[in-house]
Amino acid sequence: MKHYLKTLEDTIRRQWVQKALCDYEGDSFTYADVAKSIEQFRIFLAEAGITKRSKIAICARNCARWAMTFWDINVNECVAVPLLADFHPNSICTFTHHSDSVLLFTDKDIWEKLHPGQMPNLKAAINVKDGSMLWHRDEKVAKAWERREKVYAAKHPKGLKREQISFPTDNMDKLAIINYTSGTTGNPKGVMLTYGAISDTDEFSNSHFPNQPGETIVSMLPMAHMYGLAIEFIHPNVDGVTVYFLGKTPSPSTLLKAMKKVKPYMVVTVPLVMEKVYANAIKPALDKMKWLMVVPQARKGIYRLARKKVLAAFGGQVRGFIMGGAALKPEVEDCFTKIRLPYTVGYGMTEACPLLGWEWCTEFVPGSCGKPVHDLRINSEDPMNVPGEIQVRGNNITIGYYKNPEANAAAFTDDGWFRTGDLGLIDGENNIFIRGRIKSMILNSSGQNIYPEELEAVLSGCPYVSESLVVERKGKLVALVYPEIPDDLDEQTRSKIPELIRATANKSLPVYSKINEVQLVDTPFEKTPKMSIKRYLYR
């Protein structure tokens, strides 16, 4: 297995003057700039007395300098601790302290909401956007940071040469990242991932969806989450792909404008984004031509045109749409299959850095989440028909949770397999089908297992349903629905919507899992960065 830092080293030498990291319509940095930044950071660490394996946190919105800071930390063999900018200030302080981070790279707005007293191990806080010192309690660190450029100039009077680039690769089993998850079922934990885990993910990605130097990609997912960090940044960037960062979550119009300008080779996103593209652009166009769909040749032509328009909307160079984090609505998946959109819906989690399941669109089975990336088993006597816990192992799997022996003890089986907490099936062709989370499974009074996610998939096809969540309340199945209701709908029709949704869904549900009540909610459900609903908030 090739170390991803060796790949980065080779790329920097070959693509020295090529753009590596760019803010959309903002700053841009070449691979030579990346190399210079890494070397300056090495000098700073030595002058400051900060040793290898020290933890360094990053908490800011996506930007090119965020990515530069990650490479500074990661290549110099400190442990990167990416924290979501959307975390509550108290959580940021808690995780910075819990991770034993000695430095925090953040921005001014976030820093002003934090309390240094809650982070006693912290030596300094640095503005990730402009490199200014926001705060320090260690003078040696502050002086080393201030002097880093001067010392660099003295050590490299003629500048850094590409032939001088050499990155460490004897650290496969060493800790590289502590990633605090923002899960659907409870409090975040510090997931520990090694250099070997990242290398494994990069190797798998290259073998299944290779990229080329000079290609481009738009980063829209938070890099404090492993999905965005590994698939949208590390994997492309080490291979010479120029990464463009959008910063805060863009509006659909801003996103498509960026896509048309950047012309990415791949779009990494969550199903919710593609469902909006379907609802706002594809479905209305297909509905207008329903009368033609009965003619086979006309239907094929319409599907070809729809596919062409979707690809053009994303810049015209997209070879694949990679979706993960949640299931795609059946209606949307059916449409994407018919128009032959090059897509896949993967399966992953932070603890797998993040890949667990994958299959390319030509072999992808609708309703599944691909085939196992590495070893995967279903803890069931009949894994093809009776759901059981999905358990995995491989070089990409976490080595455990940081300073959390209780979670570590619960996370692995006696024979070393990682417990995902997901319930699933696997068919004869090795396709994985997720049935839900163990913690969200409902056991009804007659002893039947009910998987809320399956009911929610049915609800997604009902009239007026934008999002749904099924919970058990007082022994009854209640569907919480965030509706999508036209403004011109009269009040009488509006009042009948809950019963219409319930009746429509129950036509497709077995007797033991029929929905007893539908309750409309006024706001969208709170979600994790990968757009999964935080179920524990609605029990």
Side-chain angles (χ1 to χ4, degrees), residues 274-275 277-279 281-287 293 302-304 306-307 310 328-343 366:
M274 297 306 294
E275 286 167 359
V277 171
Y278 166 78
I282 302 175
K283 188 176 186 299
L286 293 179
D287 285 346
M293 301 292 272
I302 291 169
Y303 287 157
R304 280 196 300 269
R307 179 178 183 273
V310 172
L328 195 61
K329 286 184 177 181
E331 177 188 359
V332 181
E333 188 170 61
D334 180 60
C335 175
F336 286 173
T337 301
K338 286 177 178 176
I339 69 174
R340 296 176 59 242
L341 193 72
Y343 82 99

PDB file of all heavy atoms in Angstrom, residues 274-275 277-279 281-287 293 302-304 306-307 310 328-343 366:
ATOM      1  N   MET A 274     -28.809  16.482  -4.178  1.00  0.00           N
ATOM      2  CA  MET A 274     -29.252  15.926  -5.457  1.00  0.00           C
ATOM      3  C   MET A 274     -30.776  15.784  -5.507  1.00  0.00           C
ATOM      4  O   MET A 274     -31.374  15.877  -6.587  1.00  0.00           O
ATOM      5  CB  MET A 274     -28.574  14.582  -5.700  1.00  0.00           C
ATOM      6  CG  MET A 274     -27.064  14.671  -5.827  1.00  0.00           C
ATOM      7  SD  MET A 274     -26.515  15.854  -7.094  1.00  0.00           S
ATOM      8  CE  MET A 274     -27.114  15.074  -8.593  1.00  0.00           C
ATOM      9  N   GLU A 275     -31.400  15.583  -4.351  1.00  0.00           N
ATOM     10  CA  GLU A 275     -32.862  15.532  -4.319  1.00  0.00           C
ATOM     11  C   GLU A 275     -33.459  16.891  -4.655  1.00  0.00           C
ATOM     12  O   GLU A 275     -34.510  16.987  -5.316  1.00  0.00           O
ATOM     13  CB  GLU A 275     -33.325  15.054  -2.941  1.00  0.00           C
ATOM     14  CG  GLU A 275     -33.100  13.560  -2.729  1.00  0.00           C
ATOM     15  CD  GLU A 275     -33.249  13.116  -1.283  1.00  0.00           C
ATOM     16  OE1 GLU A 275     -33.511  13.978  -0.414  1.00  0.00           O
ATOM     17  OE2 GLU A 275     -33.093  11.915  -1.015  1.00  0.00           O
ATOM     18  N   VAL A 277     -31.950  19.094  -6.636  1.00  0.00           N
ATOM     19  CA  VAL A 277     -31.742  19.234  -8.084  1.00  0.00           C
ATOM     20  C   VAL A 277     -32.859  18.510  -8.831  1.00  0.00           C
ATOM     21  O   VAL A 277     -33.420  19.032  -9.804  1.00  0.00           O
ATOM     22  CB  VAL A 277     -30.364  18.659  -8.488  1.00  0.00           C
ATOM     23  CG1 VAL A 277     -30.234  18.591 -10.006  1.00  0.00           C
ATOM     24  CG2 VAL A 277     -29.240  19.518  -7.906  1.00  0.00           C
ATOM     25  N   TYR A 278     -33.196  17.322  -8.354  1.00  0.00           N
ATOM     26  CA  TYR A 278     -34.276  16.556  -8.973  1.00  0.00           C
ATOM     27  C   TYR A 278     -35.610  17.303  -8.871  1.00  0.00           C
ATOM     28  O   TYR A 278     -36.328  17.462  -9.869  1.00  0.00           O
ATOM     29  CB  TYR A 278     -34.391  15.191  -8.299  1.00  0.00           C
ATOM     30  CG  TYR A 278     -35.667  14.450  -8.630  1.00  0.00           C
ATOM     31  CD1 TYR A 278     -35.810  13.791  -9.848  1.00  0.00           C
ATOM     32  CD2 TYR A 278     -36.731  14.419  -7.726  1.00  0.00           C
ATOM     33  CE1 TYR A 278     -36.992  13.121 -10.159  1.00  0.00           C
ATOM     34  CE2 TYR A 278     -37.906  13.738  -8.021  1.00  0.00           C
ATOM     35  CZ  TYR A 278     -38.032  13.103  -9.240  1.00  0.00           C
ATOM     36  OH  TYR A 278     -39.203  12.448  -9.552  1.00  0.00           O
ATOM     37  N   ALA A 279     -35.943  17.777  -7.655  1.00  0.00           N
ATOM     38  CA  ALA A 279     -37.243  18.419  -7.424  1.00  0.00           C
ATOM     39  C   ALA A 279     -37.383  19.733  -8.176  1.00  0.00           C
ATOM     40  O   ALA A 279     -38.469  20.066  -8.671  1.00  0.00           O
ATOM     41  CB  ALA A 279     -37.439  18.647  -5.930  1.00  0.00           C
ATOM     42  N   ALA A 281     -35.439  20.870 -10.898  1.00  0.00           N
ATOM     43  CA  ALA A 281     -35.075  20.940 -12.314  1.00  0.00           C
ATOM     44  C   ALA A 281     -35.529  19.732 -13.122  1.00  0.00           C
ATOM     45  O   ALA A 281     -36.179  19.877 -14.166  1.00  0.00           O
ATOM     46  CB  ALA A 281     -33.553  21.105 -12.443  1.00  0.00           C
ATOM     47  N   ILE A 282     -35.230  18.530 -12.650  1.00  0.00           N
ATOM     48  CA  ILE A 282     -35.500  17.344 -13.464  1.00  0.00           C
ATOM     49  C   ILE A 282     -36.982  16.985 -13.482  1.00  0.00           C
ATOM     50  O   ILE A 282     -37.581  16.810 -14.546  1.00  0.00           O
ATOM     51  CB  ILE A 282     -34.678  16.146 -12.953  1.00  0.00           C
ATOM     52  CG1 ILE A 282     -33.192  16.481 -12.972  1.00  0.00           C
ATOM     53  CG2 ILE A 282     -34.953  14.913 -13.803  1.00  0.00           C
ATOM     54  CD1 ILE A 282     -32.313  15.410 -12.369  1.00  0.00           C
ATOM     55  N   LYS A 283     -37.581  16.863 -12.303  1.00  0.00           N
ATOM     56  CA  LYS A 283     -38.982  16.422 -12.224  1.00  0.00           C
ATOM     57  C   LYS A 283     -39.941  17.347 -12.972  1.00  0.00           C
ATOM     58  O   LYS A 283     -40.787  16.862 -13.736  1.00  0.00           O
ATOM     59  CB  LYS A 283     -39.412  16.285 -10.762  1.00  0.00           C
ATOM     60  CG  LYS A 283     -40.794  15.637 -10.580  1.00  0.00           C
ATOM     61  CD  LYS A 283     -41.112  15.453  -9.109  1.00  0.00           C
ATOM     62  CE  LYS A 283     -42.417  14.669  -8.921  1.00  0.00           C
ATOM     63  NZ  LYS A 283     -43.568  15.361  -9.501  1.00  0.00           N
ATOM     64  N   PRO A 284     -39.851  18.679 -12.781  1.00  0.00           N
ATOM     65  CA  PRO A 284     -40.762  19.552 -13.527  1.00  0.00           C
ATOM     66  C   PRO A 284     -40.642  19.389 -15.043  1.00  0.00           C
ATOM     67  O   PRO A 284     -41.654  19.404 -15.755  1.00  0.00           O
ATOM     68  CB  PRO A 284     -40.334  20.962 -13.089  1.00  0.00           C
ATOM     69  CG  PRO A 284     -39.711  20.768 -11.745  1.00  0.00           C
ATOM     70  CD  PRO A 284     -39.014  19.452 -11.833  1.00  0.00           C
ATOM     71  N   ALA A 285     -39.416  19.210 -15.516  1.00  0.00           N
ATOM     72  CA  ALA A 285     -39.207  19.053 -16.964  1.00  0.00           C
ATOM     73  C   ALA A 285     -39.805  17.738 -17.457  1.00  0.00           C
ATOM     74  O   ALA A 285     -40.446  17.696 -18.523  1.00  0.00           O
ATOM     75  CB  ALA A 285     -37.714  19.108 -17.278  1.00  0.00           C
ATOM     76  N   LEU A 286     -39.614  16.668 -16.695  1.00  0.00           N
ATOM     77  CA  LEU A 286     -40.168  15.369 -17.095  1.00  0.00           C
ATOM     78  C   LEU A 286     -41.690  15.374 -17.020  1.00  0.00           C
ATOM     79  O   LEU A 286     -42.364  14.769 -17.866  1.00  0.00           O
ATOM     80  CB  LEU A 286     -39.599  14.257 -16.215  1.00  0.00           C
ATOM     81  CG  LEU A 286     -38.098  13.957 -16.365  1.00  0.00           C
ATOM     82  CD1 LEU A 286     -37.688  12.853 -15.397  1.00  0.00           C
ATOM     83  CD2 LEU A 286     -37.764  13.556 -17.790  1.00  0.00           C
ATOM     84  N   ASP A 287     -42.256  16.056 -16.022  1.00  0.00           N
ATOM     85  CA  ASP A 287     -43.714  16.113 -15.881  1.00  0.00           C
ATOM     86  C   ASP A 287     -44.364  16.793 -17.087  1.00  0.00           C
ATOM     87  O   ASP A 287     -45.470  16.416 -17.497  1.00  0.00           O
ATOM     88  CB  ASP A 287     -44.089  16.861 -14.598  1.00  0.00           C
ATOM     89  CG  ASP A 287     -43.855  16.020 -13.346  1.00  0.00           C
ATOM     90  OD1 ASP A 287     -43.659  14.798 -13.483  1.00  0.00           O
ATOM     91  OD2 ASP A 287     -43.866  16.592 -12.234  1.00  0.00           O
ATOM     92  N   MET A 293     -44.016  10.193 -22.828  1.00  0.00           N
ATOM     93  CA  MET A 293     -43.291   9.092 -22.211  1.00  0.00           C
ATOM     94  C   MET A 293     -43.850   7.720 -22.587  1.00  0.00           C
ATOM     95  O   MET A 293     -43.196   6.705 -22.382  1.00  0.00           O
ATOM     96  CB  MET A 293     -43.315   9.240 -20.684  1.00  0.00           C
ATOM     97  CG  MET A 293     -42.695  10.534 -20.187  1.00  0.00           C
ATOM     98  SD  MET A 293     -40.926  10.623 -20.455  1.00  0.00           S
ATOM     99  CE  MET A 293     -40.346   9.847 -18.980  1.00  0.00           C
ATOM    100  N   ILE A 302     -35.953  11.622 -24.228  1.00  0.00           N
ATOM    101  CA  ILE A 302     -36.191  12.534 -23.089  1.00  0.00           C
ATOM    102  C   ILE A 302     -35.212  12.241 -21.962  1.00  0.00           C
ATOM    103  O   ILE A 302     -34.645  13.160 -21.363  1.00  0.00           O
ATOM    104  CB  ILE A 302     -37.650  12.399 -22.607  1.00  0.00           C
ATOM    105  CG1 ILE A 302     -38.605  12.956 -23.661  1.00  0.00           C
ATOM    106  CG2 ILE A 302     -37.836  13.128 -21.268  1.00  0.00           C
ATOM    107  CD1 ILE A 302     -40.065  12.631 -23.406  1.00  0.00           C
ATOM    108  N   TYR A 303     -34.970  10.958 -21.687  1.00  0.00           N
ATOM    109  CA  TYR A 303     -34.023  10.586 -20.630  1.00  0.00           C
ATOM    110  C   TYR A 303     -32.606  11.041 -20.980  1.00  0.00           C
ATOM    111  O   TYR A 303     -31.858  11.517 -20.119  1.00  0.00           O
ATOM    112  CB  TYR A 303     -34.049   9.073 -20.401  1.00  0.00           C
ATOM    113  CG  TYR A 303     -35.293   8.572 -19.683  1.00  0.00           C
ATOM    114  CD1 TYR A 303     -35.713   7.250 -19.817  1.00  0.00           C
ATOM    115  CD2 TYR A 303     -36.035   9.420 -18.856  1.00  0.00           C
ATOM    116  CE1 TYR A 303     -36.841   6.783 -19.153  1.00  0.00           C
ATOM    117  CE2 TYR A 303     -37.163   8.966 -18.197  1.00  0.00           C
ATOM    118  CZ  TYR A 303     -37.568   7.645 -18.349  1.00  0.00           C
ATOM    119  OH  TYR A 303     -38.685   7.189 -17.692  1.00  0.00           O
ATOM    120  N   ARG A 304     -32.237  10.889 -22.256  1.00  0.00           N
ATOM    121  CA  ARG A 304     -30.900  11.340 -22.690  1.00  0.00           C
ATOM    122  C   ARG A 304     -30.748  12.836 -22.503  1.00  0.00           C
ATOM    123  O   ARG A 304     -29.719  13.334 -22.052  1.00  0.00           O
ATOM    124  CB  ARG A 304     -30.655  10.960 -24.156  1.00  0.00           C
ATOM    125  CG  ARG A 304     -30.239   9.526 -24.387  1.00  0.00           C
ATOM    126  CD  ARG A 304     -29.636   9.337 -25.770  1.00  0.00           C
ATOM    127  NE  ARG A 304     -30.575   9.684 -26.825  1.00  0.00           N
ATOM    128  CZ  ARG A 304     -31.414   8.826 -27.397  1.00  0.00           C
ATOM    129  NH1 ARG A 304     -31.429   7.564 -27.000  1.00  0.00           N
ATOM    130  NH2 ARG A 304     -32.231   9.209 -28.347  1.00  0.00           N
ATOM    131  N   ALA A 306     -32.432  14.755 -20.379  1.00  0.00           N
ATOM    132  CA  ALA A 306     -32.398  15.069 -18.948  1.00  0.00           C
ATOM    133  C   ALA A 306     -30.992  14.842 -18.392  1.00  0.00           C
ATOM    134  O   ALA A 306     -30.467  15.663 -17.624  1.00  0.00           O
ATOM    135  CB  ALA A 306     -33.410  14.209 -18.201  1.00  0.00           C
ATOM    136  N   ARG A 307     -30.378  13.728 -18.786  1.00  0.00           N
ATOM    137  CA  ARG A 307     -29.018  13.422 -18.322  1.00  0.00           C
ATOM    138  C   ARG A 307     -28.045  14.496 -18.792  1.00  0.00           C
ATOM    139  O   ARG A 307     -27.208  14.982 -18.012  1.00  0.00           O
ATOM    140  CB  ARG A 307     -28.597  12.053 -18.864  1.00  0.00           C
ATOM    141  CG  ARG A 307     -27.177  11.640 -18.475  1.00  0.00           C
ATOM    142  CD  ARG A 307     -26.889  10.244 -19.041  1.00  0.00           C
ATOM    143  NE  ARG A 307     -25.588   9.764 -18.640  1.00  0.00           N
ATOM    144  CZ  ARG A 307     -24.464  10.020 -19.291  1.00  0.00           C
ATOM    145  NH1 ARG A 307     -24.484  10.772 -20.380  1.00  0.00           N
ATOM    146  NH2 ARG A 307     -23.313   9.521 -18.861  1.00  0.00           N
ATOM    147  N   VAL A 310     -28.438  17.727 -16.738  1.00  0.00           N
ATOM    148  CA  VAL A 310     -27.897  17.640 -15.382  1.00  0.00           C
ATOM    149  C   VAL A 310     -26.377  17.765 -15.411  1.00  0.00           C
ATOM    150  O   VAL A 310     -25.777  18.520 -14.633  1.00  0.00           O
ATOM    151  CB  VAL A 310     -28.302  16.312 -14.704  1.00  0.00           C
ATOM    152  CG1 VAL A 310     -27.575  16.150 -13.373  1.00  0.00           C
ATOM    153  CG2 VAL A 310     -29.805  16.269 -14.477  1.00  0.00           C
ATOM    154  N   LEU A 328     -30.885   7.715  -0.606  1.00  0.00           N
ATOM    155  CA  LEU A 328     -31.522   8.538  -1.621  1.00  0.00           C
ATOM    156  C   LEU A 328     -33.001   8.159  -1.689  1.00  0.00           C
ATOM    157  O   LEU A 328     -33.358   6.987  -1.591  1.00  0.00           O
ATOM    158  CB  LEU A 328     -30.851   8.283  -2.971  1.00  0.00           C
ATOM    159  CG  LEU A 328     -31.087   9.244  -4.129  1.00  0.00           C
ATOM    160  CD1 LEU A 328     -30.587  10.640  -3.774  1.00  0.00           C
ATOM    161  CD2 LEU A 328     -30.361   8.731  -5.374  1.00  0.00           C
ATOM    162  N   LYS A 329     -33.882   9.160  -1.824  1.00  0.00           N
ATOM    163  CA  LYS A 329     -35.310   8.865  -1.932  1.00  0.00           C
ATOM    164  C   LYS A 329     -35.552   7.911  -3.101  1.00  0.00           C
ATOM    165  O   LYS A 329     -34.980   8.087  -4.179  1.00  0.00           O
ATOM    166  CB  LYS A 329     -36.101  10.153  -2.155  1.00  0.00           C
ATOM    167  CG  LYS A 329     -36.243  11.030  -0.916  1.00  0.00           C
ATOM    168  CD  LYS A 329     -37.133  12.231  -1.210  1.00  0.00           C
ATOM    169  CE  LYS A 329     -37.352  13.077   0.036  1.00  0.00           C
ATOM    170  NZ  LYS A 329     -38.232  14.234  -0.219  1.00  0.00           N
ATOM    171  N   PRO A 330     -36.391   6.887  -2.906  1.00  0.00           N
ATOM    172  CA  PRO A 330     -36.642   5.913  -3.978  1.00  0.00           C
ATOM    173  C   PRO A 330     -37.067   6.546  -5.293  1.00  0.00           C
ATOM    174  O   PRO A 330     -36.634   6.118  -6.375  1.00  0.00           O
ATOM    175  CB  PRO A 330     -37.773   5.041  -3.389  1.00  0.00           C
ATOM    176  CG  PRO A 330     -37.575   5.138  -1.908  1.00  0.00           C
ATOM    177  CD  PRO A 330     -37.095   6.545  -1.657  1.00  0.00           C
ATOM    178  N   GLU A 331     -37.914   7.564  -5.239  1.00  0.00           N
ATOM    179  CA  GLU A 331     -38.371   8.234  -6.456  1.00  0.00           C
ATOM    180  C   GLU A 331     -37.208   8.867  -7.209  1.00  0.00           C
ATOM    181  O   GLU A 331     -37.122   8.784  -8.435  1.00  0.00           O
ATOM    182  CB  GLU A 331     -39.393   9.324  -6.090  1.00  0.00           C
ATOM    183  CG  GLU A 331     -39.885  10.139  -7.281  1.00  0.00           C
ATOM    184  CD  GLU A 331     -40.749  11.318  -6.851  1.00  0.00           C
ATOM    185  OE1 GLU A 331     -40.973  11.493  -5.634  1.00  0.00           O
ATOM    186  OE2 GLU A 331     -41.184  12.075  -7.742  1.00  0.00           O
ATOM    187  N   VAL A 332     -36.299   9.482  -6.463  1.00  0.00           N
ATOM    188  CA  VAL A 332     -35.141  10.130  -7.070  1.00  0.00           C
ATOM    189  C   VAL A 332     -34.177   9.088  -7.623  1.00  0.00           C
ATOM    190  O   VAL A 332     -33.654   9.221  -8.733  1.00  0.00           O
ATOM    191  CB  VAL A 332     -34.427  11.031  -6.041  1.00  0.00           C
ATOM    192  CG1 VAL A 332     -33.224  11.723  -6.669  1.00  0.00           C
ATOM    193  CG2 VAL A 332     -35.399  12.062  -5.475  1.00  0.00           C
ATOM    194  N   GLU A 333     -33.949   8.040  -6.845  1.00  0.00           N
ATOM    195  CA  GLU A 333     -33.057   6.968  -7.284  1.00  0.00           C
ATOM    196  C   GLU A 333     -33.576   6.321  -8.559  1.00  0.00           C
ATOM    197  O   GLU A 333     -32.799   6.017  -9.489  1.00  0.00           O
ATOM    198  CB  GLU A 333     -32.918   5.925  -6.177  1.00  0.00           C
ATOM    199  CG  GLU A 333     -31.865   4.873  -6.453  1.00  0.00           C
ATOM    200  CD  GLU A 333     -31.598   4.011  -5.232  1.00  0.00           C
ATOM    201  OE1 GLU A 333     -32.525   3.336  -4.747  1.00  0.00           O
ATOM    202  OE2 GLU A 333     -30.450   4.033  -4.746  1.00  0.00           O
ATOM    203  N   ASP A 334     -34.886   6.121  -8.632  1.00  0.00           N
ATOM    204  CA  ASP A 334     -35.496   5.525  -9.822  1.00  0.00           C
ATOM    205  C   ASP A 334     -35.272   6.406 -11.050  1.00  0.00           C
ATOM    206  O   ASP A 334     -34.929   5.913 -12.133  1.00  0.00           O
ATOM    207  CB  ASP A 334     -36.992   5.325  -9.582  1.00  0.00           C
ATOM    208  CG  ASP A 334     -37.684   4.709 -10.783  1.00  0.00           C
ATOM    209  OD1 ASP A 334     -37.309   3.588 -11.171  1.00  0.00           O
ATOM    210  OD2 ASP A 334     -38.600   5.353 -11.340  1.00  0.00           O
ATOM    211  N   CYS A 335     -35.423   7.717 -10.865  1.00  0.00           N
ATOM    212  CA  CYS A 335     -35.216   8.645 -11.977  1.00  0.00           C
ATOM    213  C   CYS A 335     -33.756   8.653 -12.429  1.00  0.00           C
ATOM    214  O   CYS A 335     -33.464   8.588 -13.631  1.00  0.00           O
ATOM    215  CB  CYS A 335     -35.643  10.055 -11.572  1.00  0.00           C
ATOM    216  SG  CYS A 335     -35.292  11.318 -12.808  1.00  0.00           S
ATOM    217  N   PHE A 336     -32.823   8.734 -11.471  1.00  0.00           N
ATOM    218  CA  PHE A 336     -31.402   8.767 -11.811  1.00  0.00           C
ATOM    219  C   PHE A 336     -30.985   7.494 -12.557  1.00  0.00           C
ATOM    220  O   PHE A 336     -30.139   7.536 -13.454  1.00  0.00           O
ATOM    221  CB  PHE A 336     -30.550   8.931 -10.555  1.00  0.00           C
ATOM    222  CG  PHE A 336     -30.590  10.325  -9.969  1.00  0.00           C
ATOM    223  CD1 PHE A 336     -29.986  10.600  -8.751  1.00  0.00           C
ATOM    224  CD2 PHE A 336     -31.230  11.361 -10.628  1.00  0.00           C
ATOM    225  CE1 PHE A 336     -30.013  11.872  -8.204  1.00  0.00           C
ATOM    226  CE2 PHE A 336     -31.268  12.646 -10.092  1.00  0.00           C
ATOM    227  CZ  PHE A 336     -30.657  12.903  -8.873  1.00  0.00           C
ATOM    228  N   THR A 337     -31.583   6.378 -12.169  1.00  0.00           N
ATOM    229  CA  THR A 337     -31.284   5.118 -12.852  1.00  0.00           C
ATOM    230  C   THR A 337     -31.804   5.155 -14.288  1.00  0.00           C
ATOM    231  O   THR A 337     -31.109   4.740 -15.232  1.00  0.00           O
ATOM    232  CB  THR A 337     -31.914   3.931 -12.094  1.00  0.00           C
ATOM    233  OG1 THR A 337     -31.392   3.889 -10.764  1.00  0.00           O
ATOM    234  CG2 THR A 337     -31.600   2.619 -12.790  1.00  0.00           C
ATOM    235  N   LYS A 338     -33.005   5.669 -14.480  1.00  0.00           N
ATOM    236  CA  LYS A 338     -33.612   5.712 -15.815  1.00  0.00           C
ATOM    237  C   LYS A 338     -32.867   6.646 -16.763  1.00  0.00           C
ATOM    238  O   LYS A 338     -32.734   6.349 -17.951  1.00  0.00           O
ATOM    239  CB  LYS A 338     -35.075   6.144 -15.704  1.00  0.00           C
ATOM    240  CG  LYS A 338     -35.992   5.069 -15.143  1.00  0.00           C
ATOM    241  CD  LYS A 338     -37.416   5.576 -14.987  1.00  0.00           C
ATOM    242  CE  LYS A 338     -38.329   4.479 -14.466  1.00  0.00           C
ATOM    243  NZ  LYS A 338     -39.712   4.976 -14.213  1.00  0.00           N
ATOM    244  N   ILE A 339     -32.379   7.780 -16.244  1.00  0.00           N
ATOM    245  CA  ILE A 339     -31.676   8.717 -17.133  1.00  0.00           C
ATOM    246  C   ILE A 339     -30.190   8.377 -17.224  1.00  0.00           C
ATOM    247  O   ILE A 339     -29.433   9.071 -17.890  1.00  0.00           O
ATOM    248  CB  ILE A 339     -31.854  10.184 -16.690  1.00  0.00           C
ATOM    249  CG1 ILE A 339     -31.110  10.466 -15.377  1.00  0.00           C
ATOM    250  CG2 ILE A 339     -33.333  10.535 -16.576  1.00  0.00           C
ATOM    251  CD1 ILE A 339     -31.144  11.940 -14.988  1.00  0.00           C
ATOM    252  N   ARG A 340     -29.796   7.309 -16.522  1.00  0.00           N
ATOM    253  CA  ARG A 340     -28.411   6.807 -16.555  1.00  0.00           C
ATOM    254  C   ARG A 340     -27.422   7.871 -16.075  1.00  0.00           C
ATOM    255  O   ARG A 340     -26.367   8.078 -16.654  1.00  0.00           O
ATOM    256  CB  ARG A 340     -28.049   6.312 -17.957  1.00  0.00           C
ATOM    257  CG  ARG A 340     -28.884   5.118 -18.395  1.00  0.00           C
ATOM    258  CD  ARG A 340     -28.605   4.668 -19.822  1.00  0.00           C
ATOM    259  NE  ARG A 340     -27.201   4.310 -19.985  1.00  0.00           N
ATOM    260  CZ  ARG A 340     -26.380   4.952 -20.822  1.00  0.00           C
ATOM    261  NH1 ARG A 340     -26.828   5.974 -21.533  1.00  0.00           N
ATOM    262  NH2 ARG A 340     -25.135   4.564 -20.954  1.00  0.00           N
ATOM    263  N   LEU A 341     -27.771   8.523 -14.972  1.00  0.00           N
ATOM    264  CA  LEU A 341     -26.855   9.479 -14.364  1.00  0.00           C
ATOM    265  C   LEU A 341     -25.692   8.698 -13.729  1.00  0.00           C
ATOM    266  O   LEU A 341     -25.930   7.714 -13.033  1.00  0.00           O
ATOM    267  CB  LEU A 341     -27.573  10.298 -13.285  1.00  0.00           C
ATOM    268  CG  LEU A 341     -26.826  11.541 -12.770  1.00  0.00           C
ATOM    269  CD1 LEU A 341     -26.830  12.634 -13.837  1.00  0.00           C
ATOM    270  CD2 LEU A 341     -27.465  12.055 -11.488  1.00  0.00           C
ATOM    271  N   PRO A 342     -24.455   9.099 -13.959  1.00  0.00           N
ATOM    272  CA  PRO A 342     -23.314   8.364 -13.384  1.00  0.00           C
ATOM    273  C   PRO A 342     -23.159   8.656 -11.895  1.00  0.00           C
ATOM    274  O   PRO A 342     -22.500   9.606 -11.499  1.00  0.00           O
ATOM    275  CB  PRO A 342     -22.115   8.897 -14.185  1.00  0.00           C
ATOM    276  CG  PRO A 342     -22.518  10.276 -14.584  1.00  0.00           C
ATOM    277  CD  PRO A 342     -24.009  10.218 -14.818  1.00  0.00           C
ATOM    278  N   TYR A 343     -23.792   7.852 -11.080  1.00  0.00           N
ATOM    279  CA  TYR A 343     -23.793   8.126  -9.645  1.00  0.00           C
ATOM    280  C   TYR A 343     -23.635   6.837  -8.848  1.00  0.00           C
ATOM    281  O   TYR A 343     -23.810   5.728  -9.359  1.00  0.00           O
ATOM    282  CB  TYR A 343     -25.100   8.807  -9.226  1.00  0.00           C
ATOM    283  CG  TYR A 343     -26.251   7.844  -9.016  1.00  0.00           C
ATOM    284  CD1 TYR A 343     -26.591   7.423  -7.733  1.00  0.00           C
ATOM    285  CD2 TYR A 343     -26.964   7.338 -10.096  1.00  0.00           C
ATOM    286  CE1 TYR A 343     -27.632   6.525  -7.537  1.00  0.00           C
ATOM    287  CE2 TYR A 343     -27.998   6.438  -9.903  1.00  0.00           C
ATOM    288  CZ  TYR A 343     -28.329   6.041  -8.624  1.00  0.00           C
ATOM    289  OH  TYR A 343     -29.343   5.142  -8.432  1.00  0.00           O
ATOM    290  N   PRO A 366     -30.006  -0.465  -7.175  1.00  0.00           N
ATOM    291  CA  PRO A 366     -30.836   0.523  -6.475  1.00  0.00           C
ATOM    292  C   PRO A 366     -31.369  -0.024  -5.148  1.00  0.00           C
ATOM    293  O   PRO A 366     -31.792  -1.170  -5.058  1.00  0.00           O
ATOM    294  CB  PRO A 366     -31.982   0.779  -7.468  1.00  0.00           C
ATOM    295  CG  PRO A 366     -31.360   0.511  -8.808  1.00  0.00           C
ATOM    296  CD  PRO A 366     -30.433  -0.643  -8.575  1.00  0.00           C
TER     297      PRO A 366
END
